[in-house]
Amino acid sequence: MSSMTGAEAMVRMLQLHGVKHIFGLCGDTSLPFYDALARLDHGITHILTRDERSAAYMADGYARVSGRVGVCEGPSGGGATYLLPGIVEANESSIPVLGITTDISTTSRGRYTLTELDQEALYRPLTKRTEVIDRADRLPEAVRRAFRSMTTGRPGAAHLGLPFDVQQGAVAQDTVWADEDLGRYPARRAKPDPELVEQAASALTSAKLPVFVCGGGVVIANAMEELDAVATTLGAPVATTVSGHGSLPDDHPLCLGVVGSNGGTPATRDVLAQADLVVFVGCRAGSVTTERWRHPAQGTPVIHIDADPQVPGAIYRTQVSIVADAKLALQALRDSLMLMQPADGARLVREAKEKKFLEFEELSLKSDFPILPERIVATLNEVLPRDATVVCDPGTPCPYFSAYYRFNEAGRYFVSNRAHGALGYSMAAALGAHYGRPHTKTVSVMGDGSFGFTAGEMETLVRLKAPVMMVVISNSSYGWIKAGQKAGFDKRYFSVDFSRTDHARVAEAFGVKSFRVETTEQLKPALIAAAQHGGPALVDVIAQPLHEARAPVSEWVA
Ligand SMILES: Cc1ncc(C[n+]2csc(CCOP(=O)(O)OP(=O)(O)O)c2C)c(N)n1
C-alpha cells in the first residue's frame, strides 16, 4: 500500500479540509512540515509572521470574516507558548482556529531536550480539543477529530502537536480523507426542539415589548436574515453585544446597537429596561453585556437560545431554553409566530438613537486639540466604504466603535477580541481578515499601547503589500486603566503613562505609507489618502486621552 510521511499527510489533510492559508513562523522542529509545504502542490499560501501571537490572531481574524477554519502554526517551546494567546481568544470567542505546534521527537522526551514542554497539558484547558499526535498512522484521524471539534456545536479552537519523528513516520495513503464541510462553521447544525419553539413563540406573542440581545452567535450562524424576519414580525428592538455587532445593519429601524458596559449608553440601556421579555440569542450574557449581571434586571422573563447547552440558565433564570443553532432556531421561530400586532420597537429605537447620537455628533464636530475620539470615529465612518471591516483593539477603540460607528451591512464587519481583550490584537487580526475578505477594505484601529505589542508585524504587512489601513489613537498612556484609576481610585494615577512615540515615523521605517495627524484639518485628508493607498498605511492621530473623554463606558472593571 502506498504511503506518505506524517508531514505530507498533515499538509494533505489541511488541503482536504479546504484550508487555503496558514499563518505561522518557522522553527527547528517544524523543518519536515515546512519541507512538505515546500515540495507538495497543495494550493495553500503560507503567511510568514514575525511573532506566533500574531499568527494566531491572523488565523482568528481570517476565520471571523470568512466563515472558514483559521490555521496557524509555530514550533515547540517558545512557539507553542507564544501561539497560545490567540488560541485562547478564539476558543473563548467561539471561533474555530487550529493551532499546530511541531514538537520534539517522541523518542527525545524526558531527556532535557531543548524546547521540550507538555503541549497537551498547556493547551488542554484552553481549547475544545488538543492532541499531541504520537503515531504517524493516527495523524489523519486526529486531524479529523480536531476539525469536527472546532466546527460543530459551539465552535472553538483546537490544537495539534506534531512531533518531529511523527512528521517523518509513514501514513497509509488510503487513511488520508476528510469531510470538507468541516472546514466551515458552524457545521452539522443542531435543530431546535419544536415543542420549545412553540413555547417561545407563545411567550413572544403575548409579550408587550420583547427585546433581543444578540451575541456573536447570530453572525457566526449567519442568522441575520432570520433574526430580521422574527424581529420585524414582533416589532422588537434588537440590541447586541460587542461581538454581536452586525446581527442587523446599524441602519435597520429595529437595530438598537450595542448594550453593556463597553459601548452601551444610558439611552440603549433604557430600552432594554422597558422589555417585558428578553431574548438572548448566541450570547453568554456575560459581565460586559449585562453590566455585571444587572441589565436586564434579574427576574426579567428570559428566553435563551444558544448552541452551547451550558449557556442558557447560567446567568438568568430562563422561561424557555433552546439549545440549537441560531439560524435554525430563528427560522423555526419565524415559522411559528402567528400574525400579531407588532410592538412599537422602531419608535423606541429611533428615540434612543437620537438621544445617543446627539452628544456624540456635537463632540464629533469639535476641532479640539488633541483630537477627540468622537471626531476620529465620525471621520472614519464618513471616509471608509460601507463594506469596510474595522478591527478594534481594547482601550479607546472598542467602546467608541461599538457605540458610534455605523456598520450598515449585516454580518461580520466589526471585529474585536472580546473574550480576553488582550492588547495588540487588531493589526494582525486585520491582516487575517484581509485574507478572509480580500476585496474589501480592512482597517485596524489601535491604541498606542497596542501598537507597542504588535509593531514588528508591519514588516509582514509590507512584505505582503497588504492594503491594510491602521489608525493609532495616540495618547501616551494605558488610557483605559488610567480612566479606571480616575473613576474608582480617586485619580491616584500610578504607572499608566508612557512617552509619546512617533508612530508614523516608526511605520515609515518599515516601509508603511504613513501620516501624522495633530489637527482636525489634517484628519480627513490623511484618512482618505490612507484608505485609498494600495498598500499598508498608518495614520497616527494625537488624541484626547481616554480618561478625559466622554467614553461610552459604564464600568472600567467589567
Ligand atoms: C495583554 C494585555 N495586558 C494588559 C491589559 C489591560 N489593559 C486593558 S486596556 C489597557 C490600556 C490600553 O492602552 P492603549 O492601547 O494605549 O489604549 P488607550 O486605553 O490608551 O486608548 C490595558 C493595559 C490588556 N487588555 N491586555
Side-chain angles (χ1 to χ4, degrees):
M1 194 195 301
S2 58
S3 71
M4 57 178 85
T5 67
E8 289 168 345
M10 179 55 105
V11 174
R12 290 294 181 224
M13 287 303 293
L14 294 174
Q15 182 186 1
L16 289 168
H17 281 101
V19 173
K20 294 280 186 271
H21 297 88
I22 302 178
F23 305 89
L25 201 158
C26 49
D28 320 16
T29 51
S30 306
L31 286 166
F33 182 44
Y34 269 54
D35 194 46
L37 282 166
R39 282 185 291 102
L40 300 182
D41 180 12
H42 43 65
I44 299 173
T45 305
H46 184 272
I47 287 133
L48 175 67
T49 69
R50 301 301 299 273
D51 183 330
E52 289 88 353
R53 281 183 311 170
S54 312
Y57 290 152
M58 287 175 199
D60 170 314
Y62 173 86
R64 287 190 202 229
V65 305
S66 69
R68 306 199 64 91
V69 172
V71 181
C72 54
E73 59 85 20
S76 55
T81 54
Y82 277 17
L83 204 63
L84 200 62
I87 301 291
V88 181
E89 175 60 41
N91 194 51
E92 289 296 312
S93 292
S94 305
I95 302 300
V97 167
L98 174 62
I100 301 169
T101 56
T102 56
D103 201 357
I104 59 164
S105 284
T106 56
T107 50
S108 305
R109 287 184 187 155
R111 313 189 71 187
Y112 301 114
T113 306
L114 182 72
T115 74
E116 179 172 9
L117 88 97
D118 185 345
Q119 295 188 357
E120 221 169 276
L122 181 69
Y123 279 90
R124 187 175 303 114
L126 306 169
T127 52
K128 275 190 89 182
R129 171 149 204 104
T130 174
E131 194 166 344
V132 176
I133 305 167
D134 278 354
R135 289 172 47 162
D137 61 344
R138 296 281 164 81
L139 184 144
E141 62 185 66
V143 179
R144 286 192 289 270
R145 267 195 293 277
F147 273 86
R148 266 202 315 276
S149 169
M150 284 186 288
T151 58
T152 60
R154 181 188 77 83
H159 161 257
L160 288 173
L162 202 52
F164 196 85
D165 50 357
V166 170
Q167 295 175 58
Q168 294 173 314
V171 179
Q173 197 110 39
D174 63 352
T175 61
V176 178
W177 57 268
D179 176 353
E180 207 198 329
D181 288 347
L182 297 173
R184 290 192 196 89
Y185 68 100
R188 303 183 182 169
R189 295 169 185 257
K191 276 194 179 156
D193 180 336
E195 213 167 289
L196 295 176
V197 172
E198 284 309 321
Q199 285 177 25
S202 124
L204 281 164
T205 328
S206 36
K208 284 200 179 61
L209 182 67
V211 175
F212 285 79
V213 179
C214 298
V218 170
V219 176
I220 286 173
N222 195 19
M224 293 82 74
E225 255 182 62
E226 291 75 8
L227 173 70
D228 187 342
V230 173
T232 303
T233 306
L234 295 165
V238 174
T240 75
T241 69
V242 175
S243 301
H245 213 144
S247 297
L248 286 184
D250 269 311
D251 57 5
H252 189 290
L254 289 168
C255 181
L256 179 62
V258 169
V259 288
S261 57
N262 192 332
T265 62
T268 52
R269 186 199 294 142
D270 284 352
V271 176
L272 188 59
Q274 292 174 52
D276 61 348
L277 178 63
V278 169
V279 190
F280 288 110
V281 190
C283 172
R284 301 190 299 189
S287 63
V288 173
T289 302
T290 60
E291 303 186 65
R292 297 189 67 77
W293 315 289
R294 291 193 301 252
H295 305 287
Q298 296 288 338
T300 309
V302 162
I303 294 173
H304 207 141
I305 302 170
D306 205 279
D308 182 348
Q310 289 302 319
V311 167
I315 308 297
Y316 290 91
R317 183 173 183 175
T318 57
Q319 196 168 326
V320 188
S321 294
I322 299 179
V323 175
D325 173 75
K327 190 179 184 76
L328 299 186
L330 288 167
Q331 241 167 39
L333 212 46
R334 178 193 64 196
D335 298 342
S336 306
L337 289 171
M338 301 293 176
L339 271 183
M340 55 168 61
Q341 180 63 34
D344 198 7
R347 179 182 55 84
L348 292 174
V349 166
R350 195 175 53 246
E351 288 170 2
K353 278 181 158 167
E354 272 168 20
K355 226 188 245 176
K356 159 171 148 171
F357 280 104
L358 195 67
E359 185 186 72
F360 169 78
E361 270 152 20
E362 199 179 297
L363 293 171
S364 74
L365 294 173
K366 286 194 181 292
S367 335
D368 290 24
F369 174 84
I371 299 174
L372 304 189
E374 288 83 359
R375 180 90 180 201
I376 302 172
V377 177
T379 315
L380 257 177
N381 215 161
E382 205 183 319
V383 159
L384 291 178
R386 187 183 160 98
D387 61 355
T389 305
V390 182
V391 188
C392 282
D393 272 308
T396 306
C398 184
Y400 270 96
F401 282 78
S402 294
Y404 301 126
Y405 193 95
R406 294 178 229 221
F407 293 90
N408 290 335
E409 296 278 334
R412 178 63 67 225
Y413 292 91
F414 177 58
V415 177
S416 194
N417 51 334
R418 288 324 298 159
H420 284 199
L423 301 181
Y425 167 85
S426 78
M427 187 192 293
L431 181 64
H434 162 69
Y435 281 103
R437 205 153 48 202
H439 303 299
T440 56
K441 193 76 200 168
T442 305
V443 183
S444 140
V445 187
M446 69 193 95
D448 40 6
S450 277
F451 180 90
F453 276 76
T454 189
E457 221 55 66
M458 282 190 287
E459 187 282 325
T460 310
L461 295 173
V462 170
R463 175 165 29 89
L464 297 166
K465 302 185 178 66
V468 169
M469 174 176 169
M470 292 162 277
V471 178
V472 182
I473 299 185
S474 176
N475 58 20
S476 18
S477 65
Y478 288 123
W480 181 282
I481 308 303
K482 194 168 184 176
Q485 291 176 345
K486 180 180 182 187
F489 295 84
D490 218 8
K491 297 189 187 170
R492 283 186 296 281
Y493 298 128
F494 176 75
S495 228
V496 284
D497 292 316
F498 46 78
S499 51
R500 173 98 57 199
T501 298
D502 189 333
H503 306 100
R505 282 187 64 203
V506 175
E508 196 188 336
F510 276 100
V512 170
K513 177 90 181 155
S514 57
F515 306 82
R516 181 181 166 93
V517 169
E518 296 186 13
T519 64
T520 46
E521 293 79 61
Q522 295 166 327
L523 182 64
K524 192 169 169 185
L527 292 176
I528 291 175
Q532 288 175 351
H533 183 61
L538 180 141
V539 183
D540 187 19
V541 186
I542 310 302
Q544 181 189 38
L546 189 54
H547 71 286
E548 291 173 7
R550 286 204 233 162
V553 175
S554 64
E555 305 258 357
W556 296 97
V557 184

